[in-house]
Amino acid sequence: MIDFKVLTALAAREDIERIGVGVVVRDASGRILMVRRAAHGALPGLWEYPGGGREDGEGIGGREDGEGIGGRESGEGIEAGAARELAEQTGLAGLPLEYARSLDLTDPNGRRVRQFVFTAVVPDGTPVTLSAEHDDQQWARPDQLPQTGDGAREVIRWLTRRLAIPGWRPVGGYLTTVARPTVYGCFLVTDPDSRVLGMRSTINPSVWSLPGGNVEHGETPFGTALREAQEELGLDLAAENPEVIARRRLVAVVHEQAGTEYPVPVCGYVFDGGVLTPEQQARIRLDPAEHTEWRFETAHDWCDLMSPDRYQRLLQVLRAHRCGTPLYLERPSPEGEFEGIMVLVTDRHGRLLMHHRDDKPGIAWPGYWTPIGGWREGVETPQENAAREVREEAGIEITGLRILPGPHHELVSPLTRVLHAAWDGPEADLRLGDEGLAVRMVPLAEVLGLNVPPYLQHYLPLLADGAGQPARRTS
């Protein structure tokens, strides 16, 4: 659907004083319907295609007749006005109209006019019934037009040239053949602990979403995000976080194919909404018609609250936010997409690099000993992700990275890639990063004696043969 309200507002900003409509009617032989102005009206004897103008309360209007422009009633839609003018002037009613283009011209009173031009096709020999405004009609070849204005001649020649291009059709008709997604704008908002704000839907309590909504007529995605955040949270983010909002930082563009939940494509723009302090959070006032609850959670804890598809989308957006560069993302994701890694690093002595995790809520396996792992950054490959995480968490460089074969354990997310790598340095080279309590090399036979996640019983046998060491199982 073409948003003529937006196009009309644009005309006003460009100092257009009147809005007009016109219809170029073609018959099956490619001839153009031309009508002649009656002797008692303005511009007597001028041939033109049917058209009209309008009057409204914003100064874009005027009932006086001019070239290709007549009257149009206030409040009438552009396309409806074109259909009405065509029916009144020629008796041709109910024709499917396709918007073709706009034309800027100056009327006899010196005012700037923007005419929205449509086109339609009728069979050869279609009868025409003229109104009192016109006294003659003819079907003219585009290269043999009767005396007409320069604007009408320009439009007809332009349309004729375009129609000669194989496969071309007017933009109004072309738009009906392409997928036009719904567009939304939203904000990624966090708290001082980097937890993410989500709101529970009133209509579907299983759905948690970011502040935002669908773009309405005349809005931009960023403007929509601001409006929706104020309606949904009761907070004006532009006032709460002025420096962040002023940057209009785009975090990600997410394209989602039509699916069972929403049967049309959706294109979303996610913007950085900044951090809300406890004082700001205390002023949140939800619209109960839309949401019943809000909360801040870590990326790990949102996993239990969201559907797998929505959770993966959140992880993708958080990855874009971390990397500082806007990412283009797709849902469903391309085959092979991942959002994190776990890397099992062994040495020639048959030991496995283990990381003693912080014992704090909001993370996976708090207080446990686990292999090195972490979220993906930007557009890293699994190998790049693994090498960086080992470097950051243990201070060493690994080699021989490979995807570990075999099925995933049920406790390891399908979005996590499990890799194996080799390291041949002294244990004294290990350096704990800014996460966790300790890192050390542990003989494979002793790993299961530590406080470790159950999934290691699944993965250790895949390493034992290569390390030449047995893997001890526990019940």
Side-chain angles (χ1 to χ4, degrees):
M1 177 180 177
I2 298 174
D3 196 335
F4 286 107
K5 289 184 179 179
V6 171
L7 297 183
T8 301
L10 174 63
R13 292 196 298 270
E14 296 177 352
D15 297 325
I16 296 296
E17 299 170 274
R18 299 184 63 206
I19 293 296
V21 293
V23 184
V24 178
V25 181
R26 302 127 49 204
D27 68 8
S29 298
R31 297 175 300 179
I32 308 297
L33 175 61
M34 302 294 289
V35 293
R36 188 175 67 185
R37 285 182 171 270
H40 56 77
L43 302 175
L46 180 70
W47 290 85
E48 60 189 3
Y49 50 74
R54 78 164 181 185
E55 216 175 277
D56 64 20
E58 299 181 358
I60 299 182
R63 178 62 193 179
E64 301 90 341
D65 288 341
E67 177 189 343
I69 307 159
R72 182 179 173 277
E73 296 154 3
S74 177
E76 187 178 41
I78 295 287
E79 188 170 7
R84 178 184 54 76
E85 290 286 354
L86 178 64
E88 290 176 356
Q89 295 177 11
T90 68
L92 299 175
L95 297 183
L97 304 182
E98 291 185 335
Y99 174 66
R101 58 167 288 178
S102 65
L103 168 71
D104 287 354
L105 48 87
T106 302
D107 73 6
N109 297 311
R111 292 173 299 189
R112 297 184 63 202
V113 179
R114 179 159 297 170
Q115 183 187 74
F116 293 100
V117 182
F118 297 79
T119 186
V121 180
V122 298
D124 288 354
T126 296
V128 172
T129 303
L130 296 178
S131 69
E133 295 180 20
H134 300 91
D135 61 10
D136 199 4
Q137 60 92 12
Q138 63 170 289
W139 293 92
R141 290 174 52 84
D143 57 352
Q144 295 178 357
L145 296 176
Q147 181 183 356
T148 187
D150 291 340
R153 193 177 301 275
E154 174 192 337
V155 167
I156 292 170
R157 286 178 175 174
W158 174 88
L159 182 61
T160 301
R161 287 194 300 268
R162 294 298 179 91
L163 288 168
I165 301 173
W168 185 87
R169 66 181 298 183
V171 62
Y174 170 72
L175 289 177
T176 65
T177 70
V178 297
R180 291 172 289 166
T182 297
V183 177
Y184 68 85
C186 66
F187 281 118
L188 178 66
V189 178
T190 59
D191 69 1
D193 295 321
S194 299
R195 298 180 302 171
V196 178
L197 172 63
M199 302 176 300
R200 185 195 291 270
S201 169
T202 299
I203 297 174
N204 187 350
S206 67
V207 171
W208 291 81
S209 59
L210 304 180
N214 289 334
V215 174
E216 296 182 355
H217 292 303
E219 283 189 328
T220 65
F222 187 80
T224 295
L226 272 178
R227 174 182 56 77
E228 289 281 351
Q230 186 157 14
E231 292 175 359
E232 295 176 346
L233 297 174
L235 296 178
D236 179 2
L237 290 184
E240 302 289 344
N241 296 326
E243 293 184 1
V244 173
I245 299 303
R247 288 196 290 267
R248 297 184 175 224
R249 178 193 163 196
L250 176 65
V251 174
V253 176
V254 186
H255 183 274
E256 302 184 49
Q257 292 284 31
T260 54
E261 181 180 356
Y262 207 69
V264 297
V266 179
C267 186
Y269 293 77
V270 185
F271 300 95
D272 184 5
V275 176
L276 289 183
T277 65
E279 293 75 19
Q280 291 170 314
Q281 295 173 34
R283 298 199 303 274
I284 291 177
R285 297 293 182 269
L286 296 181
D287 177 357
E290 294 198 55
H291 300 99
T292 60
E293 179 185 352
W294 61 270
R295 63 171 62 183
F296 287 89
E297 298 288 358
T298 65
H300 175 264
D301 284 347
W302 276 122
C303 180
D304 294 331
L305 296 168
M306 292 182 170
S307 67
D309 283 349
R310 285 182 174 271
Y311 182 60
Q312 181 173 6
R313 182 174 61 189
L314 175 64
L315 293 184
Q316 289 179 306
V317 169
L318 290 176
R319 168 160 56 94
H321 188 259
R322 288 193 303 272
C323 78
T325 300
L327 296 182
Y328 166 71
L329 308 170
E330 292 182 353
R331 300 288 306 126
S333 299
E335 186 175 353
E337 195 78 348
F338 72 104
E339 293 302 328
I341 58 88
M342 179 173 69
V343 55
L344 297 104
V345 181
T346 58
D347 65 9
R348 58 191 176 89
H349 302 295
R351 298 180 299 177
L352 178 66
L353 177 61
M354 297 294 287
H355 182 224
H356 193 188
R357 296 180 63 78
D358 290 309
D359 191 1
K360 63 181 183 181
I363 66 172
W365 304 107
Y368 280 69
W369 286 87
T370 70
I372 299 291
W375 300 114
R376 182 185 185 188
E377 299 285 353
V379 292
E380 287 179 325
T381 65
Q383 291 78 7
E384 292 168 340
N385 190 174
R388 177 183 53 76
E389 287 290 345
V390 172
R391 187 183 309 116
E392 292 176 355
E393 296 185 13
I396 60 175
E397 298 293 334
I398 52 179
T399 60
L401 273 161
R402 65 185 179 94
I403 300 292
L404 201 63
H408 261 51
H409 188 275
E410 62 180 7
L411 294 179
V412 177
S413 167
L415 302 177
T416 298
R417 293 292 170 267
V418 182
L419 299 94
H420 175 240
W423 180 59
D424 196 25
E427 187 168 1
D429 286 351
L430 295 177
R431 295 289 184 272
L432 178 66
D434 57 7
E435 295 180 1
L437 304 174
V439 286
R440 66 184 178 94
M441 301 301 297
V442 179
L444 290 179
E446 299 176 11
V447 167
L448 297 181
L450 300 174
N451 182 28
V452 296
Y455 62 70
L456 276 173
Q457 297 196 39
H458 171 80
Y459 290 107
L460 283 182
L462 302 178
L463 302 175
D465 291 341
Q469 299 289 330
R472 178 168 57 87
R473 289 185 176 271
T474 62
S475 57

